[in-house]
Amino acid sequence: MTGVTALGDAAVAFLASAGLCLAAGRVVVPLLMRAQCVAPLRYKDCPPLLSYQQAKPKTPTMGGVFLLGAGVVAAAAAGGLSHRDGWLVLGAITGLGLVGWCDDWLKFRGPNARGLRSRPKLLVALAIGFILGVVGRSGPNSYSAIEVPWLHRAVELGWGWIPFAMFVVAGCAHAVNLTDGMDGLAAGCVAIALATLGVFAMDGDARVRVMVPWCAALAGACVAFLWFNSYPAAVFMGDVGALGLGG
């Protein structure tokens, strides 16, 4: 695959995902508003941010449902499931997205309802990372090393790859989750990160290049989501989107 072809395919995936996200959002956002899926108050330990969010008491959440949906459909259509590692990406998005969906849904049972506790969410994320680490460590083309770009060398981890995968999956998922709730913050940061990773993946081997459609499609969905999420936000992605994207 030449660089021009890879870039062109990535651009198609990006634009297709963005279009799907925009179209779906016009339908889903009004439904979330009518269902009163309102974002709960956060940042109680940071008064400036809390007062900012209190000014937005009727902003719905769970927008990650159509964001992830658009990204997954576009990535799959662009060949994101042509390699085993693409299915691992889908598994991480689906597993963590379902955890986030349960968390969001539990918060809407009543005015004082609470979602999943922090510890169960962390344990489930670690478990998903463990499963992905074991699968990635198995087979003829298993993962056991990480490349350090500035050192131009690979560090062999062996079976240490599994706890490393657990740490990365759980850490990234909760890092994105912490940024959701501010207008455009989570979607903007993730779009930049995915676009950067996608560019690096273009120079890799077959199992690395399968990440290109995923990065392009999810980045496109995030950019389109900013249409609804930039200031003043009409919707937040919620835990379903934040945990799913972080995975």
Side-chain angles (χ1 to χ4, degrees):
M1 180 184 292
T2 65
V4 174
T5 303
L7 186 60
D9 291 344
V12 171
F14 180 96
L15 294 174
S17 179
L20 286 173
C21 187
L22 285 172
R26 292 184 179 277
V27 177
V28 176
V29 171
L31 293 177
L32 292 174
M33 294 181 68
R34 286 199 291 271
Q36 295 185 342
C37 296
V38 178
L41 289 177
R42 304 173 68 179
Y43 311 117
K44 294 182 179 180
D45 57 344
C46 184
L49 292 181
L50 179 60
S51 61
Y52 169 82
Q53 195 180 35
Q54 285 175 331
K56 309 166 70 62
K58 296 183 179 180
T59 304
T61 186
M62 292 186 75
V65 171
F66 67 87
L67 188 161
L68 291 180
V72 168
V73 170
L81 299 178
S82 61
H83 191 277
R84 182 196 69 166
D85 290 2
W87 288 96
L88 293 181
V89 175
L90 178 61
I93 293 174
T94 303
L96 288 164
L98 285 174
V99 174
W101 185 86
C102 292
D103 188 30
D104 286 332
W105 186 256
L106 289 174
K107 294 173 184 175
F108 305 137
R109 292 176 300 171
N112 297 316
R114 300 185 64 178
L116 295 174
R117 306 285 182 176
S118 298
R119 183 173 297 178
K121 282 197 294 185
L122 177 59
L123 291 176
V124 172
L126 289 171
I128 292 174
F130 175 79
I131 294 171
L132 295 175
V134 170
V135 175
R137 186 69 180 84
S138 306
N141 295 319
S142 62
Y143 289 98
S144 62
I146 57 173
E147 294 186 10
V148 185
W150 54 88
L151 295 180
H152 302 287
R153 59 170 296 183
V155 178
E156 182 65 35
L157 297 179
W159 286 103
W161 173 265
I162 295 176
F164 174 74
M166 295 169 63
F167 174 79
V168 170
V169 170
C172 289
H174 285 81
V176 177
N177 193 26
L178 288 174
T179 64
D180 186 40
M182 299 289 288
D183 301 26
L185 183 59
C189 291
V190 172
I192 295 171
L194 287 172
T196 304
L197 291 174
V199 171
F200 283 123
M202 289 182 186
D203 292 329
D205 56 20
R207 66 178 184 178
V208 175
R209 287 198 302 269
V210 78
M211 298 295 109
V212 174
W214 284 104
C215 290
L218 291 172
C222 285
V223 170
F225 187 72
L226 290 173
W227 179 266
F228 309 100
N229 185 239
S230 59
Y231 182 84
V235 67
F236 293 123
M237 65 175 64
D239 282 10
V240 58
L243 291 179
L245 282 176

